[in-house]
Amino acid sequence: MEAPAQLRRNRLILVALWFVFYGSFTLFTPPLLDDADSVHAEVAREMLLRHDWVTLYANGIRYLEKAPVFYWSEAVAMSLFGPTTAASRLPLAIAMLALVLISESFARRAFRTPRAGLYAGLITLSSFGMFIFSRINIPDIMVCLWLVIALYAFYLTEQPEHAGPEPSGPRSLSLGPCLLFAAACALNILTKGLIGIVFPVGIVLLYLLITRGLRGTLTRLRQLHPASSLAVFLLIAVPWHILIALANPTQGHPGGVAFLNGHWSVPLPTDGNVHGWTWFYFVNEQVLRYLNLRVPRDYDTVPLALFWGLCLIWLMPWSAFLFHAVARALPIRTAAFRQRLRTKTLTNQERTDLLLILWAAIPLLFFSLSTRQEYYVLPSLPPLILLIAAWLAQRFADSGRAKQHRASSLRSAGALALVGLCAAAVCLYLILHTKAPSQDTDLASLLQQNPGDYALSFGHFLDLNARAMGLFRLPLALTAISLGGGLTLAWYLRRPRYQTGFESTYVHAANLVIAASAFLFLFASWLGLRTFSPTLTSHQLAQAIAPQLHQQDLIVLHGEYEAGSTLGFYLHRNDLHILEGRSSNLWYGSFFPEAPKIFETRDSLAAKWPGPQRIFLWEDPHDPDRPILKLPQPIYVIANSGGKYILSNQPNHP
């Protein structure tokens, strides 16, 4: 097949798969989840409501800890399609499509084969981590996108075709990739903060030092159009930072960070005495968060070994080939490679591989020294995906090296099949030894609550037990088929007796079978998330009270705003009152003088309960830190779902 036709076919395949798994049914269900998923959607909705694209707000309170690009994209989608579940998820879906297409182009150019590009796109689309974190409204998929664009642009400057003539002095480089690098860094800093520039610049500088030395690095930097690139970066990145700093100055006398008795002391705000955006965003959210001194301390950290191990989990099932891919890219045991590394004479392909290795390593090392969440691994996944794609697409003219590669591939596929068969056995055991509960069973009644784990992104899934697995029989069956059947078939296709005369065809077929298995597993994961979602969302409670709700009615959350934040988004209310939950995302902004007075006490709510105003109280009886309220009678149970309740001081009206 001609290369242009093959390229069009590959891209059509990737776009079609993206539409099925990212751009269609997964946009609409499950509903948004409580916490970050719906809080971020609500921030975008309130951006439209307030016509304020500078300062972010959540539930009417300043939300100063995040950069704006992700919320701008959500707000644009909502302005076009309304404040819906699908509109809030659309920007991440589009970001995934862009990430897939750019990864395909990067791999195809870097490894000089369309098959590497196809594999890079397939792995990006079908990796478990990339899929699951594009289901939650957090900006980290966009961070990956800007980072890929920035480093792809830098990679292009390293290619001979982008070097200009050098009639005298140092050669010049094409201006376009340099400006693209600067723009991507600016958009990344507007998406995630300082790491948006720390990562790409740190990766490039370390790469240049290793491949060129200090003097060569300085020479190269002068060739990268630094003045024009800096101008583009500042033009994109600076205006919002200036505007939001001016809009949110320091109020009162909040105090400063001090070093007392051998420990750093971070000032806590009080009503009317609060640092402005500049201190909170840069010092508290960037520097102090990295040093684990951020206030409030409302997050947990993933153990270091698990953090690194998550690379294997988020790249499932392709992580079986990761170690071989890294070993190919960094043959440090080879004397000739070490000699070229010392003498700064690496080949163009070796420099590309080194760039990808540094790209993968620096975010992991950076967060290894700081607090860590499960999704902080994501910036390291695209380069690892490119390395795996290169290894899978590798072909050799030398029969000895080809045989060695086939043997390594077969061993990796065998290990993957073994893991898949074990997982399938566990799934089949659970299917055969659990009873399917009745259709109206509330999953929360079957779970074992572990509140201590909920500070982690996936802590709630640790509540699952054997009793609850009866509700997951279909996802378990699909998982058994995908992991047990599909991965075993992929190993079978790689067996030597199928190689004679058709080696490339059968290996390619085996890789496509792994991709098909991975997509089936993603579908099973989506079904599982849909089944589990009632315990993670208050959407059903919002649906239950929406027909009865009037604008003058009061909605009270007993707990942190994040615990029931879907109520605000789905009921289009930015005035939820909070009982025993002045913390987390609303905490800092609540100390500004003009912050709405939405925080209740037990006494204030008890005083309002007998009054004429109708009150809807969101209650989680499993919250160990907030005992159930003793309120004056009458108390009506309006709805319950996912272990949570809506209580009211008045009955529903016909």
Side-chain angles (χ1 to χ4, degrees), residues 1-77:
M1 181 179 292
E2 293 295 327
Q6 185 178 8
L7 176 58
R8 287 194 297 270
R9 185 199 64 177
N10 289 349
R11 287 180 173 173
L12 182 61
I13 290 171
L14 295 176
V15 171
L17 288 170
W18 167 84
F19 177 76
V20 171
F21 287 93
Y22 292 85
S24 56
F25 62 92
T26 58
L27 289 178
F28 299 92
T29 57
L32 296 180
L33 309 180
D34 290 320
D35 208 346
D37 198 22
S38 54
V39 169
H40 294 172
E42 175 62 13
V43 169
R45 191 187 73 84
E46 293 189 30
M47 184 178 289
L48 293 176
L49 188 67
R50 303 175 70 95
H51 306 288
D52 186 348
W53 295 72
V54 175
T55 302
L56 309 182
Y57 285 83
N59 200 43
I61 289 179
R62 299 179 200 228
Y63 185 62
L64 302 180
E65 61 193 70
K66 300 297 183 183
V69 161
F70 175 62
Y71 306 96
W72 287 344
S73 66
E74 283 195 294
V76 169

Side-chain angles (χ1 to χ4, degrees), residues 326-348:
V326 172
R328 181 207 64 81
L330 195 65
I332 201 68
R333 292 184 295 178
T334 305
F337 174 80
R338 294 198 301 271
Q339 176 65 18
R340 291 192 296 274
L341 189 63
R342 283 194 299 268
T343 58
K344 312 292 190 274
T345 56
L346 294 176
T347 66
N348 186 57

Side-chain angles (χ1 to χ4, degrees), residues 84-303:
T84 63
T85 302
S88 72
R89 288 182 174 144
L90 185 59
L92 281 186
I94 294 174
M96 271 299 300
L97 177 60
L99 181 60
V100 166
L101 294 178
I102 295 170
S103 297
E104 184 275 335
S105 179
F106 199 156
R108 174 170 42 82
R109 294 189 62 147
F111 305 112
R112 297 174 177 83
T113 168
R115 187 161 288 182
L118 175 63
Y119 289 163
L122 289 175
I123 296 170
T124 302
L125 283 171
S126 62
S127 293
F128 178 66
M130 303 301 286
F131 176 79
I132 205 69
F133 286 114
S134 64
R135 303 301 90 217
I136 305 171
N137 279 322
I138 56 176
D140 295 77
I141 292 294
M142 283 189 178
V143 173
C144 293
L145 172 62
W146 306 133
L147 195 53
V148 169
I149 292 174
L151 293 174
Y152 187 23
F154 174 73
Y155 159 81
L156 292 177
T157 67
E158 289 287 280
Q159 305 313 301
E161 63 267 26
H162 285 272
E166 41 184 333
S168 62
R171 68 180 180 178
S172 62
L173 297 174
S174 296
L175 180 61
C178 299
L179 299 185
L180 181 60
F181 178 87
C185 289
L187 289 169
N188 216 353
I189 207 171
L190 287 172
T191 300
K192 193 68 172 178
L194 293 179
I195 65 167
I197 191 170
V198 168
F199 285 170
V201 171
I203 292 164
V204 167
L205 287 177
L206 186 56
Y207 165 85
L208 291 175
L209 287 170
I210 292 174
T211 57
R212 286 176 170 81
L214 179 58
R215 182 175 298 178
T217 296
L218 295 176
T219 300
R220 189 61 166 178
L221 290 176
R222 288 195 295 270
Q223 298 169 356
L224 292 171
H225 303 281
S228 301
S229 299
L230 181 61
V232 168
F233 174 83
L234 295 177
L235 183 64
I236 297 173
V238 167
W240 174 79
H241 289 85
I242 294 175
L243 291 173
I244 192 171
L246 293 174
N248 299 275
T250 295
Q251 306 284 330
H253 305 283
V257 178
F259 190 74
L260 301 172
N261 301 320
H263 299 282
W264 287 103
S265 174
V266 181
L268 298 179
T270 58
D271 288 324
N273 298 287
V274 57
H275 281 289
W277 172 86
T278 303
W279 183 93
F280 183 74
Y281 183 77
F282 285 113
V283 178
N284 191 63
E285 289 301 312
Q286 310 286 323
V287 178
L288 296 182
R289 178 187 283 270
Y290 186 79
L291 298 174
N292 201 20
L293 295 172
R294 170 190 180 264
V295 292
R297 185 71 162 79
D298 59 353
Y299 54 92
D300 208 337
T301 187
V302 176

